[in-house]
Amino acid sequence: MSGEFDEYVDDYVDQHSKSIRLSGESPDFFAEYKIKELKKMTRNWGFSDPAILDFGSGIGNSVPAFRTHFKGLDVTQADLSPDSLTRARELHGGNESQIQISDAGIPVKADSFDIVFTACVFHHIPHEEHDFWLRELLRVTAPGGRLVIFEHNPWNPLTLHAVRNCPFDVNAHLITAPQMAKRLRAAGWGDIKNTFHVFFPAALAPLRAIDPALGWCPIGAQYSCAGRAP
């Protein structure tokens, strides 16, 4: 991993908005739907007040949604980029915990979190480093805790268009849902489940009511890959 995102801190939102304009949605939409899905998952798993790590939190795009859907919880932000963590505090205020990670790992003790959430981060991590980071996330997750990875779906043509036209995705290497599930399994995670999300653009938003029934269908714009710590 590297600090490649430091140069995009100032215009991240603008660049992101331009890259997803065909969807008809804003970055806020994509940030919030993930946290809403995460809330459903944690409820189904029986967590009431989980300790949550936002791995690769960037400039805090998920902070407003976490505050809405996990009200009162101190969701720990963690990122390699110190500039991003600083900007997250400037943009969103608050006093959530922040951790600067390094290439050596996450500077917290084992079993620190019940839920680890990460959104569109792994396609920026060299694939040969995935095993290290998946094992490191397993280390900091309590027994029975969960990892939820959201990623771009390379089988969706509009997603590919957005990635190809986004400056900070210039070094991105997308990974399919089956590949991600295989890597979680190899790193020691269990009960792995892939779910696909966001099948309709804003112009067809009323049809999103059927999205949950389409979670099996591998053409969603993004997917989640969830696993359980043994």
Side-chain angles (χ1 to χ4, degrees):
M1 294 175 71
S2 68
E4 63 178 290
F5 280 93
D6 287 348
E7 63 184 288
Y8 297 112
V9 166
D10 291 334
D11 60 354
Y12 176 93
V13 174
D14 182 55
Q15 296 288 357
H16 190 192
S17 297
K18 290 178 181 177
S19 72
I20 62 173
R21 64 184 180 277
L22 289 180
S23 73
E25 295 290 0
S26 69
D28 289 343
F29 165 82
F30 285 96
E32 183 168 26
Y33 101 78
K34 295 179 179 69
I35 305 306
K36 290 171 71 174
E37 290 296 323
L38 182 67
K39 181 65 175 183
K40 294 177 187 176
M41 293 178 192
T42 57
R43 187 184 299 118
N44 289 338
W45 292 326
F47 293 99
S48 56
D49 297 303
I52 301 175
L53 175 70
D54 183 358
F55 175 72
S57 55
I59 63 171
N61 286 341
S62 298
V63 168
F66 269 122
R67 290 175 179 170
T68 297
H69 300 286
F70 290 88
K71 194 179 299 291
L73 294 188
D74 177 14
V75 177
T76 300
Q77 303 164 26
D79 203 274
L80 187 72
S81 165
D83 290 347
S84 293
L85 291 171
T86 298
R87 180 55 57 88
R89 189 73 82 202
E90 292 171 352
L91 289 173
H92 307 293
N95 57 2
E96 287 91 350
S97 300
Q98 291 188 331
I99 297 172
Q100 185 180 345
I101 62 177
S102 72
D103 289 340
I106 307 168
V108 298
K109 64 182 181 180
D111 305 339
S112 291
F113 300 99
D114 301 305
I115 300 290
V116 173
F117 164 86
T118 180
C120 298
V121 170
F122 270 81
H123 65 257
H124 291 291
I125 300 175
H127 283 210
E128 63 271 18
E129 296 179 15
H130 282 187
D131 184 68
F132 169 80
W133 286 105
L134 290 170
R135 291 180 185 277
E136 178 67 355
L137 293 175
L138 182 60
R139 181 187 70 82
V140 303
T141 303
R146 304 281 179 153
L147 167 66
V148 182
I149 296 174
F150 280 87
E151 268 298 335
H152 295 316
N153 180 14
W155 292 337
N156 182 288
L158 290 181
T159 294
L160 286 179
H161 175 84
V163 170
R164 288 169 180 164
N165 287 275
C166 188
F168 52 79
D169 280 336
V170 64
N171 295 317
H173 297 283
L174 301 187
I175 180 171
T176 67
Q179 287 175 317
M180 184 62 78
K182 182 178 180 180
R183 292 180 186 183
L184 262 70
R185 193 173 295 111
W189 296 91
D191 293 344
I192 297 163
K193 181 180 179 181
N194 285 333
T195 305
F196 293 89
H197 307 278
V198 191
F199 296 87
F200 304 101
L204 299 174
L207 294 177
R208 289 174 180 164
I210 67 172
D211 271 17
L214 296 174
W216 59 271
C217 185
I219 61 169
Q222 298 186 332
Y223 68 84
S224 60
C225 184
R228 182 180 61 82

